[in-house]
């Protein structure tokens, strides 16, 4: 089961439900707990707006059905986790008549866009009903290119009306607050016996031993250096591939060893075109196919173009399979020559014999090219992947456009759209005319305003058939003011958002039209959202803790004089590992502040296998210590929901050891919030000292 998007923070999550003795129970799967119906996600799930799953059948069970499709049934499980309300949206046209067959999108702010957690068609009365949580949603109803939009608060009422009468987007800006469901306490659970707790800890230790033992079989940096010397390849690049390959490192090493003597550094360059995940689960059969099959089509392209758009087997999210030789044998030499001369001939070939199959909603874009070719049908994205794969097999540089995901091939040094079900590509004019969208920083931005970061606090989207399609750019892209974005002409909506600590988002829409051959400038603004930083308690700095080498010392020796981050952690569990990742990603700004980061491990959370050296990228001022007595751990963690959320328990302290921020359990963005609060309290301390 899964929540498509959280309401109170970014990202999403999936977990497992298991049927036993006539009841469904939930478990954390990779984050095991000592009892059923317990997980780090229990408190967040009580704030969800949808928790659902899909059953691949015409399912007649007792659960609420969100969507009944020919191929699956989507059931709504939210009421097992959170308070719910069924709301009904009535879609009407400009004359007040109900609109049947309209798509009603229930949208939630997440990762700086409004994401449809459900899209439900209206019935003959123009109604679409949806069971959801007690937070805010943006409702967008679309029919035949027209649309209507309404921001709602579910707690206020259960029936809403939308008029579908808009065909053009508005001008200017629009602000709205998106408030998630409130935090709620869960049912009290019986304390676990010491025996059950001990058994659980034994299982955790056993899992760690098994995992660590397996990881010790991975090739090492020294072995990578030996392989590099043997093959004549750069040692740092070889190690980078083997390190990422983890359990597949021996397979990757064998590929390099077998193929580098004949093909030089091209085997390594092939590996470098892959995603990190690909290195873990791609084997020699596929690697050999793409290496040998591509080099026979080397042509006159530059090495970079050849590597990225011919050699690379990865197109989007499909499973990587051997396909170069397959497609080279599937077409005659005459057909291949025609494709190379004019790739639009391949467009017409695929368009004529291959059917569009959009029924399998959850598998869109997942069809591998050989399977799509044999079935002679697929969803649009899978057909696009097929086109790109065939082009690459015959040495024609091809790709899905990086932000639009439209299939393109290179002709005359330009990228040309492969225009399926439309006019012939206009190769004589080169690439399709584009416009420029230039983002400008806000000259009146208040101190402390967020730095623009794509998908973290802003995105932009183009209006297509009544729906905004978010453009794809690298996550956390920050150089957004350096040069304009080259985009297709159209109506654009820029969404910016500032999320407060309670999960509320101060959102803003800015609208702009982009015309072909012209540049449109938009000032990217964020709504002011100054938050108080209250004093929540204090930490006793006089208590004794123990360094990992056994030395006893006072906590005061670690905290410094201007503020600190202090966290009690459970190193072998996913919530703490997530905190490590977030702090590691912010290592540079944390290092710039210079405040200590003290990570404490209690006896119950300590495992003999823990090794601080195996945790990469943490700021240099990070120190691990043992806190056997939990003497400095504030009483705040005994309150719900912190107690239920569990470890890690993180606190930001000011220069007086006062707690100015706290977070418990798994929460996206904890590292960033802690950094922001720490920066502010240290600034306040500096300002006071200068007065």
């Amino acid at each position: 089961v899964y929540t498509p998007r959280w309401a109170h923070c970014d990202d999403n999550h999936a977990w497992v439900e298991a049927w036993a003795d006539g009841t469904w129970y939930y478990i954390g799967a990779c984050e095991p707990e000592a009892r059923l119906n317990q997980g780090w996600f229990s408190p967040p799930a009580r704030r969800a707006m949808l928790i659902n799953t899909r059953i691949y059948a015409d399912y007649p069970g007792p659960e609420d059905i969100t969507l009944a499709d020919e191929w699956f049934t989507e059931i709504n499980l939210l009421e097992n986790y959170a308070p719910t309300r069924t709301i009904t949206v009535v879609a009407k046209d400009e004359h007040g008549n109900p609109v049947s067959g309209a798509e009603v999108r229930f949208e939630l702010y997440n990762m700086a866009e409004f994401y449809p957690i459900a899209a439900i068609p209206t019935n003959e009365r123009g109604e679409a009903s949806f069971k959801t949580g007690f937070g805010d949603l943006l409702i967008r109803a679309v029919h035949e290119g027209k649309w209507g939009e309404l921001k709602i608060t579910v707690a206020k009422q259960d029936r809403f009306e939308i008029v579908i009468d808009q065909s053009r987007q508005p001008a200017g800006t629009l602000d709205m607050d998106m408030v998630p469901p409130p935090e709620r306490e869960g049912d009290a659970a019986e304390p676990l016996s010491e025996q059950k707790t001990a058994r659980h800890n034994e299982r955790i230790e056993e899992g760690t031993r098994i995992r660590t033992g397996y990881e010790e079989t991975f090739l090492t940096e020294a072995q990578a250096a030996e392989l590099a010397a043997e093959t004549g390849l750069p040692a740092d690049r070889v190690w980078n591939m083997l390190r990422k390959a983890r359990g597949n490192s021996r397979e990757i090493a064998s590929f390099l060893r077998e193929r580098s003597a004949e093909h030089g550094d091209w085997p390594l360059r092939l590996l470098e075109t892959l995603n990190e995940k690909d290195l873990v689960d791609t084997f020699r059969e596929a690697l050999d196919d793409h290496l040998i099959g591509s080099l026979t089509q080397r042509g006159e392209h530059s090495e970079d173009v050849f590597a990225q758009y011919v050699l690379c087997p990865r197109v989007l999210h499909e499973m990587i399979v051997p396909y170069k030789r397959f497609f080279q044998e599937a077409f005659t030499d005459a057909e291949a020559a025609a494709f190379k001369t004019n790739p639009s001939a391949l467009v017409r070939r695929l368009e004529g014999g291959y059917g569009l199959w959009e029924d399998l909603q959850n598998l869109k874009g997942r069809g591998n090219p050989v399977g799509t070719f044999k079935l002679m049908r697929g969803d649009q994205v899978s057909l696009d992947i097929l086109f790109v794969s065939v082009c690459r097999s015959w040495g024609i540089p091809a790709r899905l456009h990086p932000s639009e995901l439209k299939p393109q091939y290179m002709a005359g040094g330009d990228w040309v759209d492969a225009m399926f079900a439309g006019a012939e590509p206009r190769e004589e004019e080169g690439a399709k005319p584009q416009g420029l969208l230039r983002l400008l920083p806000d000259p009146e931005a208040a101190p402390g305003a967020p730095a623009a970061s794509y998908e973290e606090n802003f995105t932009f989207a183009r209006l297509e058939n009544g729906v905004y399609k978010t453009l794809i750019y690298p996550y956390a892209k920050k150089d957004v003011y350096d040069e304009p974005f080259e985009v297709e002409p159209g109506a654009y909506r820029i969404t910016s958002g500032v999320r407060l600590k309670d999960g509320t988002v101060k959102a803003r829409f800015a609208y702009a039209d982009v015309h072909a051959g012209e540049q449109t400038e938009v000032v990217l603004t964020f709504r002011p959202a100054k938050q108080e930083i209250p004093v929540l308690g204090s930490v006793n700095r006089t208590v004794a803790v123990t360094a990992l080498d056994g030395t006893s010392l006072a906590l005061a020796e670690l905290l410094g004089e201007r503020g600190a981050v202090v966290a009690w952690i459970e190193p072998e569990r996913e919530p703490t590992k997530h905190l490590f990742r977030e702090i590691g990603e912010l290592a540079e700004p944390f290092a710039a502040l210079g405040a200590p980061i003290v990570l404490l491990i209690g006896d119950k959370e300590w495992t003999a296998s823990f090794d601080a050296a195996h945790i990469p990228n943490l700021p240099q001022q990070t120190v691990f210590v043992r806190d056997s007595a939990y003497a400095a751990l504030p009483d705040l963690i005994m309150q719900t929901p912190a107690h239920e959320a569990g470890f890690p328990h993180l606190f930001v302290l000011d220069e007086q050891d006062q707690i100015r921020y706290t977070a418990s359990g798994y929460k996206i963005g904890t590292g960033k919030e802690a950094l922001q609060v720490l920066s502010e309290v240290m600034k306040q301390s500096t300002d006071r000292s200068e007065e």
Side-chain angles (χ1 to χ4, degrees):
V1 304
Y2 64 99
T3 181
R5 294 290 189 276
W6 292 120
H8 67 288
C9 69
D10 287 336
D11 220 319
N12 59 6
H13 191 62
W15 55 92
V16 171
E17 286 188 348
W19 175 265
D21 301 328
T23 302
W24 285 104
Y25 297 89
Y26 70 83
I27 55 180
C30 295
E31 311 103 25
E33 296 290 348
R35 68 166 109 229
L36 297 170
N37 285 350
Q38 180 175 318
W40 65 258
F41 52 86
S42 295
R46 293 196 291 268
R47 305 183 73 185
M49 295 295 283
L50 174 64
I51 292 172
N52 65 351
T53 192
R54 284 180 173 176
I55 297 166
Y56 301 100
D58 181 12
Y59 177 69
E63 296 88 353
D64 286 286
I65 293 175
T66 301
L67 185 64
D69 188 270
E70 180 183 1
W71 294 91
F72 62 85
T73 304
E74 188 172 288
I75 60 174
N76 189 333
L77 306 174
L78 181 61
E79 67 180 3
N80 296 338
Y81 297 85
T84 63
R85 166 173 277 178
T86 299
I87 60 174
T88 298
V89 175
V90 182
K92 295 184 177 181
D93 63 21
E94 58 265 40
H95 304 296
N97 301 313
V99 180
S100 174
E103 181 183 71
V104 179
R105 297 161 60 91
F106 298 84
E107 298 182 343
L108 195 63
Y109 179 95
N110 191 287
M111 297 186 74
E113 69 169 346
F114 279 82
Y115 181 88
I117 58 174
I120 300 174
T122 56
N123 59 22
E124 66 279 1
R125 298 184 300 275
E127 297 176 346
S129 296
F130 178 53
K131 180 175 284 188
T132 187
F134 284 81
D136 291 353
L137 290 169
L138 184 65
I139 309 296
R140 191 173 184 89
V142 182
H143 187 251
E144 295 181 350
K146 289 188 175 183
W147 55 273
E149 193 169 70
L150 179 68
K151 183 254 177 173
I152 70 167
T153 297
V154 174
K156 289 184 177 180
Q157 62 191 80
D158 59 9
R159 193 172 180 86
F160 304 89
E161 183 176 301
I162 292 184
V163 178
I164 302 178
D165 62 351
Q166 303 294 314
S167 57
R168 296 177 60 85
Q169 71 174 8
T173 61
L174 175 65
D175 292 348
M176 65 181 72
D177 291 352
M178 300 299 295
V179 182
E183 289 187 326
R184 302 177 188 273
E185 293 188 12
D187 296 331
E190 290 291 326
L192 284 169
S193 67
E194 290 188 6
Q195 181 181 7
K196 287 186 176 181
T197 300
R199 175 59 180 139
H200 176 63
N201 289 337
E202 288 174 5
R203 287 171 171 160
I204 296 295
E205 288 272 7
E206 181 184 13
T208 300
R209 285 194 300 271
I210 293 170
R211 183 174 61 253
T212 302
Y214 176 55
E215 289 175 334
E216 288 174 351
T217 69
F218 300 173
L219 293 182
T220 65
E221 187 171 6
Q223 290 171 306
E226 293 176 3
L227 176 62
E230 177 186 342
T231 57
L233 298 170
D236 57 339
R237 291 168 60 192
V238 171
W239 171 234
N240 191 36
M241 294 298 101
L242 298 186
R243 175 181 60 83
K244 293 175 181 177
R246 296 177 57 75
N248 199 38
S249 56
R250 296 182 186 279
E251 181 83 357
I252 298 299
S254 295
F255 170 68
L256 290 174
R257 182 176 292 109
E258 291 172 6
R259 297 301 179 189
S260 294
E262 181 180 357
H263 301 293
D265 71 345
W266 282 116
L268 180 58
R269 294 197 62 170
L270 168 61
L271 297 174
E272 291 172 336
T273 70
L274 300 176
N275 298 332
E276 186 165 336
K277 183 199 75 67
D278 295 333
L279 294 167
V280 175
D281 61 12
T282 305
F283 308 116
R284 273 178 286 178
E285 179 187 9
L287 295 172
D288 285 343
D289 172 84
H290 288 285
L291 175 70
I292 298 168
S294 297
L295 290 177
T296 60
Q297 306 295 321
R298 176 73 175 81
E300 301 299 323
H301 306 295
S302 71
E303 289 192 355
D304 288 342
V305 167
F306 173 75
Q308 190 169 358
Y309 302 115
V310 175
L311 178 67
C312 178
R314 162 70 61 213
V315 179
L316 188 60
H317 302 307
E318 76 285 2
M319 185 69 183
I320 290 182
V321 297
Y323 65 72
K324 293 279 172 56
R325 182 177 177 182
F326 176 85
F327 288 129
Q328 288 164 5
E329 295 178 350
F331 299 97
T332 66
D333 291 342
E335 288 175 319
F339 299 159
K340 291 182 178 181
T341 302
N342 182 8
S344 63
L346 176 59
V347 175
R348 303 287 80 80
R349 169 68 181 274
L350 296 180
E351 198 171 52
Y354 286 75
L356 190 63
W357 194 17
E358 292 282 3
D359 293 337
L360 301 180
Q361 299 288 326
N362 63 311
L363 297 176
K364 286 188 175 181
R366 300 303 196 271
N368 77 66
V370 174
T372 302
F373 184 85
K374 290 180 177 179
L375 286 173
M376 299 188 71
R377 61 173 57 195
D379 64 272
Q380 187 59 64
V381 178
S382 295
L383 290 172
D384 293 343
I385 290 170
L386 171 61
F387 170 80
V388 171
S389 301
V390 175
C391 283
R392 291 183 181 180
S393 299
W394 287 104
I396 305 166
R399 69 177 187 180
L400 297 185
H401 186 281
S403 62
E404 299 281 354
L405 297 186
K406 295 183 177 181
Q408 295 182 314
Y409 58 87
M410 183 172 284
D414 290 325
W415 287 108
V416 179
D417 290 347
M419 298 175 65
F420 286 88
E424 289 286 329
R426 294 175 294 177
E427 286 139 286
E428 70 279 6
E429 299 179 19
K432 183 178 178 181
Q434 301 285 289
L436 297 176
L437 178 62
R438 175 132 214 167
L439 299 179
L440 303 175
D442 184 3
E444 301 178 2
S453 179
Y454 203 79
E455 287 191 339
E456 286 193 297
N457 54 33
F458 92 96
T459 58
F460 53 86
R462 184 176 59 255
L463 185 62
E464 292 185 355
N465 296 319
V467 173
Y468 281 100
K469 173 188 173 184
T470 301
L471 273 64
I472 300 170
Y473 292 99
Y475 175 76
K477 175 180 172 65
K478 293 180 172 60
D479 56 344
V480 298
Y481 303 125
D482 293 356
E483 56 186 25
F485 292 85
E486 187 176 292
V487 297
E488 291 190 5
Y492 284 82
R493 184 181 74 184
I494 296 89
T495 301
S496 65
V498 178
R499 194 182 287 278
L500 309 183
K501 187 177 185 296
D502 68 358
T504 297
V505 174
K506 312 287 278 188
R508 169 169 290 169
F509 291 152
Y511 300 96
D513 293 322
V514 176
H515 303 284
E518 298 180 10
Q519 176 170 293
T520 299
E521 295 183 346
V522 178
V523 177
L524 179 58
T525 62
F526 296 88
R527 293 176 61 194
K530 184 173 178 58
Q531 301 185 69
E532 296 297 321
I533 307 179
V535 175
L536 303 172
S538 62
V539 166
N540 182 2
R541 65 162 43 209
T542 65
V543 301
V545 295
T546 306
L548 297 187
D549 64 4
T551 305
S552 180
L553 67 163
L555 184 60
E557 297 178 53
L558 304 174
L559 293 184
E561 302 297 330
R562 295 182 58 235
V565 172
V566 179
W568 277 259
I569 64 173
E570 194 172 15
E572 296 297 341
R573 307 300 297 277
E574 178 57 29
T576 293
K577 292 179 180 179
H578 177 80
L579 179 64
F580 289 157
R581 288 193 292 272
E582 287 206 355
I583 292 177
E585 290 167 358
L586 297 166
E588 196 170 315
F590 270 118
L593 289 179
I597 299 174
V598 183
L599 304 178
L600 300 100
I601 309 171
D603 284 351
K604 291 181 180 178
E605 292 72 48
W606 176 261
T607 59
S609 59
F610 172 70
D611 185 351
H614 289 166
I615 304 172
N617 305 324
L618 293 178
Q620 60 183 10
Q621 70 267 32
T622 303
V623 59
F624 290 87
V625 294
R626 298 285 302 275
D627 178 22
S628 299
Y630 303 90
L633 186 58
D635 293 338
L636 290 173
I637 69 139
M638 296 310 297
Q639 304 172 10
T640 52
H643 179 68
E644 186 180 4
F647 292 90
H649 299 291
L650 180 144
F651 304 90
V652 173
L653 310 181
D654 62 18
E655 77 278 11
Q656 299 174 22
D657 302 329
Q658 298 179 126
I659 299 170
R660 309 302 294 275
Y661 170 89
T662 179
S664 294
Y666 187 108
K667 180 186 174 186
I668 302 294
T670 294
K672 185 183 300 182
E673 290 181 358
L675 177 66
Q676 292 170 342
V677 173
L678 181 62
S679 299
E680 182 60 26
V681 298
M682 292 181 70
K683 178 179 180 299
Q684 293 175 1
S685 174
T686 301
D687 292 344
R688 285 192 293 270
S689 66
E690 293 176 351
E691 290 178 355

